[in-house]
Amino acid sequence: MKIAARESKGSTIFDVSGDIDLAHSPEMRKALLGEIKEKKVPKVFLNLRDVRYIDSSGIASLVEGLKASRDVGSRLILFGLSTSVREVMQLSRLQKIFEIYDSEEQALAS
Amino acid sequence: MKKSGGRLPKGFDSDTLVKLEMESNPECLCLVRATIERASEVLHFQESETRAIVRSVDEALANVMRHAYKGAPGRPIEIICRRVRSPGNGREPVGIEILLHDRGAKADPKKLKGRPLDEIRPGGLGLHFIRESMDVVEFSRKNGKNQLRLLKYLYPAAHKVRSVGE
Protein backbone atom coordinates (compact mmCIF):
# COMPACT_ATOMS: atom_id res chain seq x y z
CA MET A 1 0.00 0.00 0.00
CA LYS A 2 1.12 3.53 -0.72
CA ILE A 3 -0.30 6.67 0.79
CA ALA A 4 0.57 10.19 -0.32
CA ALA A 5 -0.80 13.45 1.02
CA ARG A 6 -1.53 16.67 -0.84
CA GLU A 7 -3.15 19.88 0.19
CA SER A 8 -6.10 21.60 -1.39
CA LYS A 9 -7.56 24.84 0.00
CA GLY A 10 -6.75 24.03 3.58
CA SER A 11 -7.86 20.42 3.28
CA THR A 12 -5.76 17.28 3.05
CA ILE A 13 -6.26 14.68 0.34
CA PHE A 14 -4.74 11.26 0.94
CA ASP A 15 -4.18 9.31 -2.27
CA VAL A 16 -4.15 5.66 -1.27
CA SER A 17 -3.19 2.80 -3.60
CA GLY A 18 -2.79 -0.94 -3.25
CA ASP A 19 -4.31 -3.18 -0.61
CA ILE A 20 -5.40 -1.96 2.80
CA ASP A 21 -5.01 -5.14 4.82
CA LEU A 22 -3.70 -6.24 8.19
CA ALA A 23 -0.14 -5.48 7.12
CA HIS A 24 -0.85 -1.94 5.94
CA SER A 25 -3.94 -0.62 7.69
CA PRO A 26 -1.89 0.64 10.69
CA GLU A 27 -0.07 3.02 8.36
CA MET A 28 -3.33 4.43 7.02
CA ARG A 29 -4.73 4.69 10.53
CA LYS A 30 -1.70 6.64 11.70
CA ALA A 31 -1.88 9.02 8.75
CA LEU A 32 -5.60 9.65 9.21
CA LEU A 33 -5.52 10.18 12.95
CA GLY A 34 -2.44 12.35 12.69
CA GLU A 35 -4.19 14.68 10.26
CA ILE A 36 -7.46 14.78 12.16
CA LYS A 37 -6.40 14.79 15.80
CA GLU A 38 -2.96 16.39 15.76
CA LYS A 39 -3.02 18.77 12.82
CA LYS A 40 -6.77 19.36 13.21
CA VAL A 41 -7.33 19.70 9.49
CA PRO A 42 -11.03 20.62 9.01
CA LYS A 43 -11.58 18.36 6.00
CA VAL A 44 -9.69 15.18 5.20
CA PHE A 45 -10.33 13.41 1.92
CA LEU A 46 -9.43 9.82 1.18
CA ASN A 47 -8.95 9.03 -2.49
CA LEU A 48 -9.55 5.28 -2.74
CA ARG A 49 -9.63 5.05 -6.54
CA ASP A 50 -6.52 2.87 -6.66
CA VAL A 51 -7.38 0.71 -3.67
CA ARG A 52 -7.97 -2.80 -4.89
CA TYR A 53 -8.71 -4.46 -1.57
CA ILE A 54 -9.70 -3.46 1.95
CA ASP A 55 -10.21 -5.80 4.88
CA SER A 56 -11.92 -5.38 8.23
CA SER A 57 -8.81 -3.83 9.78
CA GLY A 58 -8.87 -1.21 7.03
CA ILE A 59 -12.54 -0.55 7.72
CA ALA A 60 -11.73 -0.28 11.43
CA SER A 61 -9.15 2.40 10.61
CA LEU A 62 -11.73 4.32 8.61
CA VAL A 63 -14.22 4.09 11.47
CA GLU A 64 -11.61 5.33 13.92
CA GLY A 65 -10.91 8.21 11.59
CA LEU A 66 -14.60 9.02 11.31
CA LYS A 67 -15.09 8.97 15.07
CA ALA A 68 -12.04 11.15 15.57
CA SER A 69 -13.32 13.64 12.99
CA ARG A 70 -16.70 13.83 14.70
CA ASP A 71 -15.01 14.35 18.06
CA VAL A 72 -13.11 17.40 16.82
CA GLY A 73 -15.80 18.72 14.52
CA SER A 74 -14.01 18.00 11.26
CA ARG A 75 -15.06 15.92 8.25
CA LEU A 76 -13.70 12.72 6.74
CA ILE A 77 -14.79 12.25 3.14
CA LEU A 78 -14.17 9.22 0.91
CA PHE A 79 -14.23 9.15 -2.87
CA GLY A 80 -13.40 6.90 -5.80
CA LEU A 81 -14.47 3.64 -4.18
CA SER A 82 -13.94 0.53 -6.30
CA THR A 83 -16.54 -2.23 -6.54
CA SER A 84 -14.59 -4.29 -4.05
CA VAL A 85 -14.37 -1.48 -1.49
CA ARG A 86 -18.05 -0.60 -1.94
CA GLU A 87 -18.97 -4.23 -1.30
CA VAL A 88 -17.06 -4.21 1.97
CA MET A 89 -18.66 -0.92 3.03
CA GLN A 90 -22.08 -2.41 2.31
CA LEU A 91 -21.25 -5.63 4.17
CA SER A 92 -20.25 -3.49 7.13
CA ARG A 93 -23.46 -1.41 6.80
CA LEU A 94 -21.29 1.71 6.69
CA GLN A 95 -22.12 3.01 3.24
CA LYS A 96 -24.64 5.44 4.71
CA ILE A 97 -22.50 6.40 7.68
CA PHE A 98 -19.59 7.80 5.72
CA GLU A 99 -19.65 10.70 3.26
CA ILE A 100 -18.86 8.97 -0.03
CA TYR A 101 -18.54 10.50 -3.49
CA ASP A 102 -17.75 9.06 -6.87
CA SER A 103 -15.18 11.63 -7.94
CA GLU A 104 -12.70 14.06 -6.47
CA GLU A 105 -14.58 16.95 -8.03
CA GLN A 106 -17.80 15.98 -6.31
CA ALA A 107 -16.03 15.38 -3.03
CA LEU A 108 -14.24 18.73 -3.07
CA ALA A 109 -17.44 20.53 -3.94
CA SER A 110 -19.29 19.05 -0.96
CA MET B 1 -28.43 -28.99 -3.62
CA LYS B 2 -29.02 -30.55 -0.25
CA LYS B 3 -26.36 -30.58 2.31
CA SER B 4 -26.32 -32.29 5.62
CA GLY B 5 -24.87 -29.96 8.17
CA GLY B 6 -21.41 -29.05 6.96
CA ARG B 7 -20.77 -32.42 5.33
CA LEU B 8 -20.61 -32.73 1.58
CA PRO B 9 -23.73 -34.21 -0.01
CA LYS B 10 -23.67 -37.95 -0.61
CA GLY B 11 -21.41 -38.93 -3.45
CA PHE B 12 -19.57 -35.62 -3.58
CA ASP B 13 -15.89 -35.50 -2.80
CA SER B 14 -13.05 -33.04 -2.92
CA ASP B 15 -9.47 -33.09 -4.20
CA THR B 16 -6.64 -30.77 -3.33
CA LEU B 17 -5.83 -27.96 -5.73
CA VAL B 18 -3.11 -26.27 -3.72
CA LYS B 19 -1.60 -26.48 -0.27
CA LEU B 20 0.18 -23.50 1.23
CA GLU B 21 2.36 -23.29 4.29
CA MET B 22 2.96 -19.83 5.61
CA GLU B 23 4.01 -18.09 8.75
CA SER B 24 1.95 -15.66 10.76
CA ASN B 25 3.32 -12.63 8.93
CA PRO B 26 0.70 -10.14 7.69
CA GLU B 27 2.95 -9.25 4.75
CA CYS B 28 2.23 -12.72 3.34
CA LEU B 29 -1.52 -12.25 3.20
CA CYS B 30 -1.41 -10.77 -0.29
CA LEU B 31 0.25 -13.94 -1.58
CA VAL B 32 -2.54 -16.10 -0.23
CA ARG B 33 -5.18 -13.73 -1.58
CA ALA B 34 -3.66 -14.00 -5.04
CA THR B 35 -3.63 -17.80 -4.89
CA ILE B 36 -7.19 -18.12 -3.64
CA GLU B 37 -8.37 -15.59 -6.19
CA ARG B 38 -6.88 -17.60 -9.01
CA ALA B 39 -8.19 -20.90 -7.65
CA SER B 40 -11.71 -19.44 -7.45
CA GLU B 41 -11.47 -18.16 -11.01
CA VAL B 42 -10.27 -21.56 -12.22
CA LEU B 43 -13.37 -23.08 -10.65
CA HIS B 44 -15.53 -20.56 -12.53
CA PHE B 45 -16.81 -18.57 -9.61
CA GLN B 46 -18.16 -15.18 -10.65
CA GLU B 47 -16.13 -12.08 -9.83
CA SER B 48 -18.23 -11.08 -6.84
CA GLU B 49 -18.09 -14.61 -5.44
CA THR B 50 -14.33 -14.75 -5.97
CA ARG B 51 -13.97 -11.52 -4.03
CA ALA B 52 -16.11 -12.97 -1.25
CA ILE B 53 -14.01 -16.14 -1.06
CA VAL B 54 -10.74 -14.20 -1.04
CA ARG B 55 -12.09 -11.87 1.62
CA SER B 56 -13.18 -14.79 3.81
CA VAL B 57 -9.82 -16.54 3.69
CA ASP B 58 -7.96 -13.30 4.27
CA GLU B 59 -10.10 -12.39 7.28
CA ALA B 60 -9.76 -15.89 8.68
CA LEU B 61 -5.98 -15.73 8.40
CA ALA B 62 -5.92 -12.32 10.03
CA ASN B 63 -7.93 -13.75 12.91
CA VAL B 64 -5.45 -16.60 13.29
CA MET B 65 -2.58 -14.13 13.43
CA ARG B 66 -4.27 -11.75 15.83
CA HIS B 67 -6.13 -14.13 18.11
CA ALA B 68 -4.82 -17.67 17.83
CA TYR B 69 -1.21 -16.52 17.74
CA LYS B 70 -1.84 -13.25 19.59
CA GLY B 71 0.18 -11.25 17.11
CA ALA B 72 3.29 -13.43 17.35
CA PRO B 73 5.15 -13.60 14.04
CA GLY B 74 6.68 -16.70 12.49
CA ARG B 75 4.07 -19.19 13.65
CA PRO B 76 2.86 -21.87 11.22
CA ILE B 77 -0.39 -21.68 9.28
CA GLU B 78 -1.48 -24.22 6.69
CA ILE B 79 -4.02 -23.49 3.97
CA ILE B 80 -5.48 -26.29 1.88
CA CYS B 81 -7.63 -25.34 -1.07
CA ARG B 82 -9.79 -28.16 -2.42
CA ARG B 83 -12.14 -28.53 -5.35
CA VAL B 84 -15.48 -30.06 -4.48
CA ARG B 85 -16.74 -32.32 -7.21
CA SER B 86 -20.11 -33.81 -8.03
CA PRO B 87 -20.66 -37.54 -8.29
CA GLY B 88 -21.04 -39.32 -11.59
CA ASN B 89 -19.11 -39.39 -14.80
CA GLY B 90 -18.88 -35.64 -15.21
CA ARG B 91 -17.17 -34.99 -11.87
CA GLU B 92 -17.88 -31.35 -12.45
CA PRO B 93 -16.52 -28.91 -9.87
CA VAL B 94 -19.36 -27.66 -7.72
CA GLY B 95 -17.55 -25.70 -5.09
CA ILE B 96 -14.41 -24.74 -3.25
CA GLU B 97 -13.38 -25.94 0.17
CA ILE B 98 -10.65 -24.23 2.13
CA LEU B 99 -9.12 -25.60 5.31
CA LEU B 100 -7.01 -23.44 7.59
CA HIS B 101 -4.90 -25.07 10.28
CA ASP B 102 -2.98 -23.42 13.07
CA ARG B 103 -1.45 -24.44 16.38
CA GLY B 104 -2.48 -21.38 18.29
CA ALA B 105 -4.80 -20.83 21.22
CA LYS B 106 -8.19 -22.47 21.20
CA ALA B 107 -10.91 -20.14 20.00
CA ASP B 108 -13.27 -18.81 22.64
CA PRO B 109 -16.77 -19.87 21.53
CA LYS B 110 -18.22 -16.60 22.83
CA LYS B 111 -15.98 -14.67 20.48
CA LEU B 112 -17.08 -16.70 17.46
CA LYS B 113 -20.43 -15.03 17.43
CA GLY B 114 -19.41 -11.71 15.95
CA ARG B 115 -21.06 -8.47 17.00
CA PRO B 116 -24.15 -6.47 16.06
CA LEU B 117 -23.56 -4.26 13.04
CA ASP B 118 -25.69 -1.44 14.32
CA GLU B 119 -22.80 -0.49 16.56
CA ILE B 120 -20.49 1.86 14.71
CA ARG B 121 -17.17 0.96 16.13
CA PRO B 122 -13.92 -0.42 14.82
CA GLY B 123 -13.26 -4.13 15.03
CA GLY B 124 -15.27 -7.35 15.09
CA LEU B 125 -16.23 -7.40 11.42
CA GLY B 126 -14.04 -10.21 10.12
CA LEU B 127 -16.26 -13.05 11.27
CA HIS B 128 -19.31 -11.29 9.85
CA PHE B 129 -17.62 -11.02 6.45
CA ILE B 130 -16.80 -14.73 6.53
CA ARG B 131 -20.31 -15.82 7.47
CA GLU B 132 -21.90 -13.56 4.89
CA SER B 133 -19.72 -14.99 2.14
CA MET B 134 -19.35 -18.71 2.69
CA ASP B 135 -21.92 -21.49 2.73
CA VAL B 136 -20.20 -23.52 5.43
CA VAL B 137 -18.09 -22.16 8.27
CA GLU B 138 -16.88 -24.83 10.69
CA PHE B 139 -14.51 -24.40 13.62
CA SER B 140 -12.96 -27.45 15.22
CA ARG B 141 -9.92 -28.45 17.25
CA LYS B 142 -8.07 -31.73 17.37
CA ASN B 143 -4.70 -32.72 18.83
CA GLY B 144 -3.81 -29.14 19.67
CA LYS B 145 -4.53 -27.93 16.15
CA ASN B 146 -7.31 -25.52 15.18
CA GLN B 147 -9.15 -26.10 11.94
CA LEU B 148 -11.41 -23.68 10.15
CA ARG B 149 -13.29 -25.19 7.25
CA LEU B 150 -14.83 -22.86 4.67
CA LEU B 151 -16.94 -24.06 1.82
CA LYS B 152 -18.71 -22.23 -0.98
CA TYR B 153 -20.86 -23.87 -3.64
CA LEU B 154 -20.86 -22.67 -7.21
CA TYR B 155 -24.53 -22.95 -7.96
CA PRO B 156 -27.19 -20.75 -6.42
CA ALA B 157 -29.08 -22.75 -3.88
CA ALA B 158 -30.94 -22.23 -0.67
CA HIS B 159 -27.79 -22.55 1.41
CA LYS B 160 -27.83 -21.18 4.87
CA VAL B 161 -24.47 -20.16 6.25
CA ARG B 162 -23.79 -22.84 8.75
CA SER B 163 -21.43 -22.32 11.63
CA VAL B 164 -20.36 -25.36 13.59
CA GLY B 165 -18.16 -25.48 16.58
CA GLU B 166 -19.40 -22.42 18.49
Side-chain angles (χ1 to χ4, degrees):
Chain A
M1 186 196 80
K2 289 183 183 167
I3 183 164
R6 52 189 165 100
E7 189 263 346
S8 173
K9 296 178 184 173
S11 301
T12 298
I13 303 173
F14 282 116
D15 297 305
V16 190
S17 61
D19 295 355
I20 307 173
D21 64 2
L22 186 63
H24 301 108
S25 60
E27 186 185 346
M28 188 182 75
R29 176 183 178 276
K30 186 178 173 185
L32 266 183
L33 293 182
E35 215 67 14
I36 294 167
K37 281 182 166 178
E38 291 165 30
K39 295 183 186 174
K40 299 200 191 306
V41 174
K43 273 194 211 175
V44 175
F45 296 88
L46 264 185
N47 176 6
L48 301 175
R49 194 184 309 118
D50 293 327
V51 171
R52 191 173 170 267
Y53 178 82
I54 187 167
D55 73 350
S56 61
S57 73
I59 294 294
S61 299
L62 294 181
V63 171
E64 275 198 83
L66 181 67
K67 283 181 171 283
S69 70
R70 287 179 176 178
D71 286 344
V72 301
S74 63
R75 286 168 67 191
L76 174 62
I77 299 160
L78 316 181
F79 67 89
L81 275 63
S82 64
T83 302
S84 174
V85 174
R86 278 190 191 276
E87 273 178 357
V88 173
M89 293 295 275
Q90 282 162 3
L91 264 176
S92 313
R93 315 254 175 98
L94 293 172
Q95 74 277 21
K96 292 189 178 163
I97 305 297
F98 281 89
E99 285 188 74
I100 298 173
Y101 294 92
D102 290 334
S103 70
E104 180 169 336
E105 293 69 33
Q106 290 169 343
L108 290 174
S110 66
Chain B
M1 178 184 301
K2 273 193 173 183
K3 65 178 171 65
S4 173
R7 292 195 301 275
L8 294 175
K10 191 175 178 182
F12 289 70
D13 67 3
S14 62
D15 61 336
T16 298
L17 288 176
V18 63
K19 186 173 171 180
L20 301 173
E21 291 181 5
M22 64 179 287
E23 293 185 343
S24 54
N25 178 358
E27 299 283 345
C28 297
L29 288 171
C30 61
L31 302 175
V32 180
R33 289 197 299 270
T35 302
I36 299 298
E37 181 178 16
R38 197 68 190 102
S40 302
E41 288 169 355
V42 162
L43 294 178
H44 304 297
F45 280 98
Q46 294 178 5
E47 281 185 31
S48 59
E49 293 168 318
T50 292
R51 286 194 293 268
I53 294 165
V54 168
R55 189 183 308 132
S56 296
V57 175
D58 184 75
E59 294 287 349
L61 288 171
N63 282 345
V64 169
M65 292 181 189
R66 281 194 291 210
H67 303 301
Y69 287 137
K70 303 195 191 316
R75 302 297 304 278
I77 305 173
E78 180 183 69
I79 304 120
I80 302 172
C81 180
R82 300 176 65 85
R83 170 181 52 187
V84 179
R85 297 185 301 178
S86 64
N89 293 332
R91 307 292 275 148
E92 289 296 312
V94 295
I96 189 168
E97 180 183 47
I98 297 146
L99 304 174
L100 280 74
H101 296 130
D102 70 84
R103 293 203 168 271
K106 183 180 176 184
D108 179 354
K110 291 193 206 108
K111 292 188 178 170
L112 296 179
K113 297 210 183 289
R115 67 160 176 86
L117 290 189
D118 53 357
E119 300 173 24
I120 303 169
R121 59 175 170 88
L125 288 171
L127 202 51
H128 170 71
F129 288 177
I130 295 169
R131 291 205 171 116
E132 284 291 308
S133 302
M134 305 304 286
D135 295 315
V136 173
V137 179
E138 282 182 352
F139 297 93
S140 60
R141 184 173 176 92
K142 191 175 177 183
N143 299 327
K145 191 163 80 171
N146 292 318
Q147 174 173 288
L148 174 62
R149 177 172 175 252
L150 304 173
L151 201 157
K152 187 165 185 71
Y153 291 103
L154 263 169
Y155 304 112
H159 294 299
K160 281 172 67 174
V161 173
R162 171 117 184 146
S163 294
V164 177
E166 296 177 27

